[in-house]
Amino acid sequence: IYRAGLPEKGVPSCMGCHGPQGNGNGPALYPRIGGQSAAYVEKQLQDYKSGARAGGSEINTHLMMRQTAMKLSAEEMKAVASYVSGLH
């Protein structure tokens, strides 16, 4: 999911915005996520999906993440979170 997305579900690759190693893209407001704890990443994805995570100055990023997370199952979120935690 991180590298290729889920085209059949309309889920883009995480790598497209956060980079191959999860280093992010500061000018585009895509944060570094590589090496984050799997539990933290999974919780953030759940919060995006439920709407509990509100956007601030990065409102466009928030909307993109919410739309993406809404398409992910709990199992897919767990898999992405596990993968992200291993990036360095």
Side-chain angles (χ1 to χ4, degrees):
I1 297 169
Y2 189 88
R3 297 183 65 75
L6 294 170
E8 67 280 4
K9 292 178 82 172
V11 175
S13 74
C14 308
M15 183 174 72
C17 296
H18 297 284
Q21 299 302 316
N23 293 328
N25 180 336
L29 300 177
Y30 300 129
R32 175 184 178 83
I33 59 172
Q36 293 282 352
S37 102
Y40 173 79
V41 173
E42 185 176 2
K43 173 76 167 100
Q44 299 314 302
L45 289 170
Q46 291 167 348
D47 286 352
Y48 275 121
K49 185 171 188 169
S50 72
R53 181 160 178 167
S57 61
E58 72 287 349
I59 192 72
N60 291 333
T61 301
H62 168 75
L63 292 173
M64 183 183 308
M65 284 303 304
R66 179 157 164 73
Q67 291 171 347
T68 299
M70 291 194 59
K71 298 173 186 174
L72 295 174
S73 69
E75 184 176 286
E76 291 163 342
M77 287 183 193
K78 187 175 287 294
V80 168
S82 177
Y83 186 88
V84 165
S85 71
L87 293 174
H88 299 286

